Amino acid sequence: NGNIEEGLKLFQVPSSGNVPWDIESVVDSVYEKLRFLPAPTEGPERTVPQSDSTPGRRTWRYVGLLGGGIPFFTANGAEPPPVTMSQQELMLVLSLCRHFGIHPRQIGFAYDPTGASVCRERLFLDIKYLQRARLLQSQAGYHAVASFWAGKMARMLGNLGQVPSAGASAFRDHLLQEVLPAIFQADGDFH
């Protein structure tokens, strides 16, 4: 439908009085957990979601590599959608990994036909984001698509920590404030 608003929702800086928890401690705990996080693999999730709106425990199946470098998984034996990833898209995602302190082997793309979030206990980016990013790139350019992917990675990292649901946005914004300036300074090779 041509709607690219999701990728353009950049951050607002919360005042320190609006955050009832210590953001730096949460960031530290996320990166401590990230240090020991293995590469995504096939198999069942360890936990069942608390929410009634998400499906139960899923089993992930490896279906290939995207762009020749990022593993792709599907939930519960679903047939993967036909998808490709260009070298330029791959290089952007790998560059963002570096900026966020994520080892590229720790992430993957995933597809769940139910539409539920693919990032619970593994560092998965939803395959549907590729098409959205392409639309954003064509309509708004490189900085918009880099911001879009950075937001998705910040959200993915937030799923690793003990971020209160009311603080998820503040956590994501905090990471983006740290990372986006460095991304835009180093972006000459990707657009």
Side-chain angles (χ1 to χ4, degrees):
N1 69 18
N3 187 350
I4 60 171
E5 291 175 9
E6 181 180 282
L8 297 176
K9 291 181 183 174
L10 297 179
F11 51 92
Q12 295 177 339
V13 180
S15 71
S16 58
N18 293 339
V19 181
W21 42 279
D22 181 8
I23 262 188
E24 291 300 330
S25 294
V26 173
V27 169
D28 290 346
S29 74
V30 165
Y31 278 98
E32 182 63 23
K33 190 172 185 179
L34 182 63
R35 284 184 46 209
F36 302 102
L37 193 70
T41 59
E42 287 188 314
E45 293 178 330
R46 293 185 309 261
T47 59
V48 176
Q50 304 280 328
S51 169
D52 292 334
S53 65
T54 57
R57 184 176 293 142
R58 295 175 287 201
T59 299
W60 294 103
R61 178 177 58 98
Y62 172 80
V63 294
L65 288 176
L66 287 178
I70 300 178
F72 179 28
F73 296 84
T74 62
N76 302 325
E79 188 65 30
V83 64
T84 60
M85 184 177 205
S86 73
Q87 280 302 113
Q88 185 177 10
E89 291 167 327
L90 174 67
M91 295 308 295
L92 174 59
V93 170
L94 295 178
S95 174
L96 290 171
C97 284
R98 182 175 47 82
H99 285 289
F100 277 99
I102 301 169
H103 193 285
R105 283 183 273 178
Q106 291 177 301
I107 69 163
F109 276 92
Y111 171 67
D112 184 336
T114 69
S117 173
V118 298
C119 186
R120 290 187 194 157
E121 56 189 45
R122 292 171 168 95
L123 289 182
F124 282 155
L125 293 165
D126 199 310
I127 198 67
K128 69 185 173 199
Y129 298 155
L130 273 173
Q131 191 61 34
R132 291 180 187 172
R134 288 174 185 150
L135 179 62
L136 193 58
Q137 174 79 33
S138 71
Q139 293 183 355
Y142 173 81
H143 286 125
V145 78
S147 297
F148 174 81
W149 280 119
K152 297 305 180 187
M153 286 194 174
R155 181 173 181 253
M156 182 176 68
L157 286 174
N159 289 338
L160 286 180
Q162 301 301 317
V163 180
S165 59
S169 178
F171 175 82
R172 185 180 61 245
D173 294 349
H174 179 81
L175 288 182
L176 291 173
Q177 287 172 320
E178 298 293 319
V179 172
L180 280 178
I183 291 168
F184 294 152
Q185 276 186 331
D187 70 359
D189 296 336
F190 302 109
H191 65 282

